Amino acid sequence: KVIYTITGGIKNKNWSGERGRINEDLIKKYKKDYSVSEFYITGPQNMVDHLSKLLIEMQIPVKKIKTEIFTGY
């Protein structure tokens, strides 16, 4: 399941999805069984690093965290 969230100064009043950065509360809201899930993080280096650290702090095993970094932004 994919949950879209937007950040920054986007003021689209038609957007009915989530707003803000991905955090522990957002993960728990949509993935009740998050502790046994696999996570795939892709994007800029800082975002990938931040979310990987967050998941590790949430006790997600490193082997359940897959990452890919997009360069050239």
Side-chain angles (χ1 to χ4, degrees):
K1 182 173 184 177
V2 176
I3 307 298
Y4 295 97
T5 181
I6 58 174
T7 60
I10 299 172
K11 300 190 181 358
N12 184 339
K13 296 184 190 299
N14 294 325
W15 177 258
S16 61
E18 292 288 340
R19 292 181 182 267
R21 294 180 184 249
I22 299 169
N23 58 35
E24 185 172 349
D25 291 336
L26 188 66
I27 293 169
K28 289 179 177 179
K29 177 179 179 180
Y30 288 99
K31 195 63 180 165
K32 304 297 183 205
D33 60 346
Y34 70 91
S35 63
V36 296
S37 298
E38 289 194 27
F39 292 85
Y40 183 73
I41 308 164
T42 185
Q45 179 81 52
N46 288 343
M47 185 191 83
V48 171
D49 291 346
H50 173 77
L51 290 175
S52 296
K53 181 179 175 192
L54 171 66
L55 292 172
I56 290 168
E57 289 171 356
M58 292 173 64
Q59 307 296 315
I60 304 299
V62 173
K63 67 181 181 179
K64 298 258 186 182
I65 303 169
K66 313 295 186 224
T67 62
E68 182 178 357
I69 296 165
F70 286 175
T71 58
Y73 278 89

